Amino acid sequence: MINQELVDYLKGLGVCTICQLRYLKARGNEYKDLKESFEKLNVKYTEEAEKVILDEDNGTVCKKPKHESCPCCLGLFSKSFQSQLIESIYQTDINKFECNDIVVAISMPMIVQTRQLAMWYALLDKFGNKIDKERAPDVPLKEAIKLIINPIICKELKKGYDANGGGGGGIMINIQLSHNQEEDNLNKLKQLHDRAFPTAPNTKRQVVSRGVLDKQYMPKRIKSELFKEYFTVPPPADDCLKLDSIEMIGPTVFVAGRYRKISRKLSHTPWILNGKRVMEDSIEEIIIGTVAPYFCKDTSKVIFMSSGREDVDVRCLAKGRPFVLEIPNSVHTTLPIAEANRMESEIDKSSKLSVRNLQMVQREELVHIKSGEEQKKKYYRALCKLRDPATLDILKKLDIPEGFEIQQKTPIRVLHRRPLHTRPRMIYKMKAWVHKDNLNVLVLDVVSQAGTYIKELVHGEFGRTTPSVSSLIGQPVDILALDVMAIDLDWPKEVDNSIQE
């Protein structure tokens, strides 16, 4: 099929220049210089004319843009739509976002897809077997939007294009379009679908969606005569698409740091029991409540992640435990040192928690929080009470520099939230000292595999953890207090936010 014949036919139907190029399978930069692209394809280029209108007030002739109503895109690629879109974006709160990149997502009514299909049938009627019945003859609208509309918006707003689709630090501009014939179009589609794809009795009918249209609706599967009973082929010019709404969604950002838990009366996350709150605060709430408001208004969707967790009555000391906040729809993509210092100081005032090394991190770095979780080493110090006074023999039995393996059933105290399993865990090192003021109290240092329940390691929980400290020394042992001394994870990097920029 000669390109000129195709373009002449499309032009005669009122198809816009951009859509003509789509049916010529133009890709990439070929939409930037239309004249050059047409010439390369050996097609005569005709610039779309402006409509000349007489100004009745003063009798002068003025030029106004032609009211474009391409039967394929319904004005989506018209100059007037682009102008309206840019103007509408400027009227939003886009300037509140501290972002250099954008990505545009346009949601179109299904009438646009129906018209693409109608044009496919029209080309088959005109050019016969030169048109494939399985592969659409045009470049998909979604791809064309990325090639045409996105660059125009980026240029006008002086923003870059976010190749990661809103997840790489850019603003997602969600544009909702509608058409006054969409309801009628959907009714016809439903009738056509029931006949083209009948369902067996007692079978749930398939809903006609955009995905169904893309995958199932093609001339090879639906006869032309059946399609034409419901839709006009070729599709006529009609009213343009309407711009319903524009929503700005900021990027998802990640803020990491390390927290030190000072209180023995602080849960990791909100503790709700039988519908009632047990503790006033939690680590998650203190950190989110202080850090997240700088980035977003709605903090309810912020996700708190950490490298493990402590029990309510366990402290986490030394460098603390790594954590990260996943913050959607953020207005900021940077965290100034002064602001990070303010956040850290504010958290310190709680006297329950201390946070350091607050900083922005990339999504890829989240792998540090979860990867190899069970291979990480954790360092603990436990204060243990013996039934009988400590002896030299007991201290020797608990001096195990080479480590040993234990079998540990899920503790009874966490069975309500964890499945019952027996898990092997490594104790890499253990050493004990007698408390200087009490021979019945031991200070026990333990280096263990992540995921080890240290309290059960000490008292054995009725033989559910074997061996245990209790079984090793042959007498009952209670744990009075437990601290996390170190976590074998050198992340995030150390930063000193007390140094002013």
Side-chain angles (χ1 to χ4, degrees), residues 85-87 89-90 92 94-95 99-100 102 104 150-160 171 173 248:
L85 184 57
I86 296 296
E87 183 179 346
I89 290 174
Y90 276 131
T92 68
I94 189 171
N95 290 327
C99 301
N100 296 319
I102 61 171
V104 180
N150 280 16
I152 290 172
I153 296 176
C154 287
K155 182 179 179 181
E156 185 66 31
L157 299 179
K158 296 180 175 58
K159 300 282 188 181
I171 307 167
I173 304 179
M248 300 290 163

Side-chain angles (χ1 to χ4, degrees), residues 234-423:
D238 206 335
D239 292 338
C240 292
L241 293 168
K242 294 179 181 178
L243 180 57
D244 270 3
S245 63
I246 298 180
E247 180 188 20
M248 300 290 163
I249 300 177
T252 297
V253 299
F254 302 89
V255 180
R258 297 182 83 104
Y259 73 76
R260 296 172 67 245
K261 180 172 176 282
I262 304 163
S263 171
R264 294 196 187 276
K265 294 182 179 181
L266 185 64
S267 60
H268 191 77
T269 54
W271 188 1
I272 310 296
L273 188 62
N274 298 324
K276 294 184 178 180
R277 191 175 186 108
V278 177
M279 293 201 163
E280 179 185 356
D281 275 324
S282 68
I283 295 171
E284 176 185 284
E285 289 170 301
I286 292 174
I287 294 177
I288 289 180
T290 306
V291 177
Y294 174 75
F295 295 93
C296 64
K297 285 185 178 180
D298 182 8
T299 61
S300 65
K301 297 180 180 178
V302 176
I303 298 174
F304 173 74
M305 295 170 278
S306 63
S307 179
R309 59 194 294 163
E310 313 83 23
D311 288 340
V312 170
D313 58 347
V314 176
R315 297 185 303 180
C316 183
L317 306 177
K319 290 185 177 181
R321 187 181 296 274
F323 72 89
V324 65
L325 298 183
E326 180 178 329
I327 307 173
N329 196 19
S330 173
V331 297
H332 294 292
T333 54
T334 60
L335 178 59
I337 289 178
E339 188 61 33
N341 182 57
R342 181 195 66 78
M343 294 173 181
E344 292 177 353
S345 300
E346 191 69 27
I347 292 173
D348 283 350
K349 291 177 184 178
S350 70
S351 300
K352 301 174 183 178
L353 202 65
S354 175
V355 165
R356 292 293 179 268
N357 301 323
L358 271 181
Q359 60 194 276
M360 305 290 292
V361 296
Q362 297 300 312
R363 182 188 294 272
E364 294 75 23
E365 295 186 60
L366 267 61
V367 68
H368 295 293
I369 287 286
K370 295 299 180 183
S371 68
E373 177 67 30
E374 294 191 353
Q375 280 67 51
K376 294 171 185 171
K377 292 181 180 179
K378 307 242 172 138
Y379 298 75
Y380 296 89
R381 177 162 290 171
L383 196 64
C384 305
K385 184 177 181 181
L386 305 179
R387 182 190 62 191
D388 305 321
T391 64
L392 185 60
D393 182 56
I394 287 176
L395 295 181
K396 286 182 178 179
K397 287 179 178 178
L398 296 181
D399 184 6
I400 312 175
E402 71 278 5
F404 57 97
E405 184 179 83
I406 64 171
Q407 298 295 321
Q408 191 165 60
K409 288 185 178 179
T410 305
I412 295 171
R413 62 189 171 90
V414 298
L415 275 177
H416 65 284
R417 57 184 172 89
R418 293 189 182 277
L420 175 60
H421 290 304
T422 299
R423 300 175 179 85

Side-chain angles (χ1 to χ4, degrees), residues 371-488:
S371 68
E373 177 67 30
E374 294 191 353
Q375 280 67 51
K376 294 171 185 171
K377 292 181 180 179
K378 307 242 172 138
Y379 298 75
Y380 296 89
R381 177 162 290 171
L383 196 64
C384 305
K385 184 177 181 181
L386 305 179
R387 182 190 62 191
D388 305 321
T391 64
L392 185 60
D393 182 56
I394 287 176
L395 295 181
K396 286 182 178 179
K397 287 179 178 178
L398 296 181
D399 184 6
I400 312 175
E402 71 278 5
F404 57 97
E405 184 179 83
I406 64 171
Q407 298 295 321
Q408 191 165 60
K409 288 185 178 179
T410 305
I412 295 171
R413 62 189 171 90
V414 298
L415 275 177
H416 65 284
R417 57 184 172 89
R418 293 189 182 277
L420 175 60
H421 290 304
T422 299
R423 300 175 179 85
R425 289 289 184 262
M426 279 301 301
I427 307 303
Y428 298 107
K429 186 186 294 185
M430 184 183 288
K431 188 172 180 63
W433 291 269
V434 178
H435 193 281
K436 62 179 181 178
D437 297 326
N438 192 336
L439 291 178
N440 286 76
V441 176
L442 290 180
V443 176
L444 183 68
D445 281 353
V446 178
V447 182
S448 73
Q449 180 182 352
T452 304
Y453 293 96
I454 301 300
K455 291 177 181 177
E456 284 68 26
L457 169 67
V458 172
H459 57 64
E461 196 183 33
F462 313 110
R464 294 169 63 85
T465 293
T466 57
S468 64
V469 172
S470 178
S471 67
L472 287 172
I473 65 174
Q475 65 167 288
V477 184
D478 286 331
I479 186 162
L480 301 176
L482 179 64
D483 290 334
V484 180
M485 302 305 296
I487 295 166
D488 189 21

Side-chain angles (χ1 to χ4, degrees), residues 10 13-16 69-75 115-116 119 235-238:
L10 294 172
L13 297 176
V15 176
C16 70
S69 179
C70 169
C72 291
C73 70
L74 294 173
R115 284 173 166 268
Q116 302 300 107
M119 187 60 75
D238 206 335

